[in-house]
Amino acid sequence: FSNIFGYSSGGYGVSMLGTGINITGYSTSSYGVFYQSGSGNDALCSIKAFSTSAIALYIFKNAGKVELSNIDASCSWANSSGHAVEVTGVSNEIRISGGSLRVSNTSANCLFSGSSKNCYFTSLNFSNSTVAVNPNITNLQSNSVDSFGNILIG
């Protein structure tokens, strides 16, 4: 998928399965972008997810690996459940690099999971959250640097 824009006042802005680039989803009633995986490996780049009443970007990964880069996720729902990004599913092969995660309610998390979750994340900007990363999430990123100064993810 590429160059996708979705708006909804009655559901997800964008619901997707698989690999994509340049995805924008906006919802006034649900997730801005809802990503659900199949069993393979996926890559998503340049994702903009916005919601006024739910989590902006919902990532559900049960098998395989997903790499997300250049994310802009913003939730304007003034509620402690108004998280910017939620990661869920049994796979711990979720890699997030680069982007900005914003919430309106300081009690909401920029990066949230409702249960224990391991994933990799680096180079993210967090805004307006007292606890940016939910305590259920463990960052497995080791910050290994290659000979050019690049951080190796995963």
Side-chain angles (χ1 to χ4, degrees), residues 28-99:
T28 59
S29 65
S30 188
Y31 308 122
V33 173
F34 176 87
Y35 164 79
Q36 179 174 335
S37 70
S39 60
N41 298 331
D42 296 324
L44 295 105
C45 182
S46 297
I47 304 161
K48 294 176 178 68
F50 306 96
S51 179
T52 61
S53 62
I55 294 162
L57 173 60
Y58 187 87
I59 303 165
F60 180 77
K61 186 68 177 162
N62 266 339
K65 175 173 64 175
V66 64
E67 297 181 21
L68 301 102
S69 60
N70 193 23
I71 295 173
D72 187 0
S74 182
C75 182
S76 62
W77 184 25
N79 186 291
S80 61
S81 296
H83 311 296
V85 176
E86 179 172 357
V87 292
T88 189
V90 297
S91 176
N92 288 324
E93 293 294 324
I94 297 172
R95 290 156 163 69
I96 304 171
S97 63

Side-chain angles (χ1 to χ4, degrees), residues 79-84 103-110 128-132:
N79 186 291
S80 61
S81 296
H83 311 296
V103 295
S104 290
N105 187 304
T106 58
S107 296
N109 303 122
C110 289
N128 205 39
S129 182
T130 302
V131 179

